[in-house]
Amino acid sequence: QVQLVESGGGLVQPGGSLRLSCVASGSSFSTKGMGWYRQAPGKERELVAFINSGGAIHRGASARGRFTISRDNGKNTVYLRMNSLNLEDTAVYYCYQSRAGWLELGGFWGQGTQVTVSS
């Protein structure tokens, strides 16, 4: 079974930047789409950004112009670079591996990493 481990969360001031990382186990990483979701208190989980196996990217509305998703297949790692953070970005951020090369349900989830924007 695929395991996903997120890191890079923490406390950051409004306007600041953060880079999240997600390391995936297994040998199929390069053939799978990878995404970042987030869930704020009292809200549903939402898609932040997704990158398919070929490198095509989809950004959610909250991420456009501020966040960048990328992947390094040699390291089995997907990244989320977050710039111009605001209070509304506070959430637990989850890594997701799709069952296919593009976004499909039924994939694997990481445990999440907390991002808190405050001051």
Side-chain angles (χ1 to χ4, degrees), residues 47-66:
L47 176 68
V48 177
F50 192 90
I51 182 168
N52 72 13
S53 60
I57 293 170
H58 171 75
R59 296 178 177 87
S62 63
R64 290 198 294 269
R66 300 189 301 132

Side-chain angles (χ1 to χ4, degrees), residues 33-119:
M34 299 294 300
W36 287 97
Y37 289 71
R38 71 184 186 185
Q39 188 165 25
K43 297 183 178 180
E44 294 187 8
R45 190 172 299 187
E46 65 171 332
L47 176 68
V48 177
F50 192 90
I51 182 168
N52 72 13
S53 60
I57 293 170
H58 171 75
R59 296 178 177 87
S62 63
R64 290 198 294 269
R66 300 189 301 132
F67 297 177
T68 301
I69 189 169
S70 61
R71 64 190 298 158
D72 186 335
N73 290 338
K75 297 181 178 179
N76 272 29
T77 302
V78 63
Y79 304 95
L80 183 68
R81 181 185 177 186
M82 303 184 291
N83 297 325
S84 302
L85 287 162
N86 56 56
L87 272 60
E88 290 71 39
D89 295 316
T90 295
V92 178
Y93 284 71
Y94 296 92
C95 183
Y96 175 77
Q97 183 176 106
S98 177
R99 288 168 50 87
W102 187 241
L103 180 59
E104 288 190 2
L105 300 177
F108 299 94
W109 293 95
Q111 290 293 108
T113 184
Q114 176 71 47
V115 172
T116 302
V117 185
S118 181
S119 285

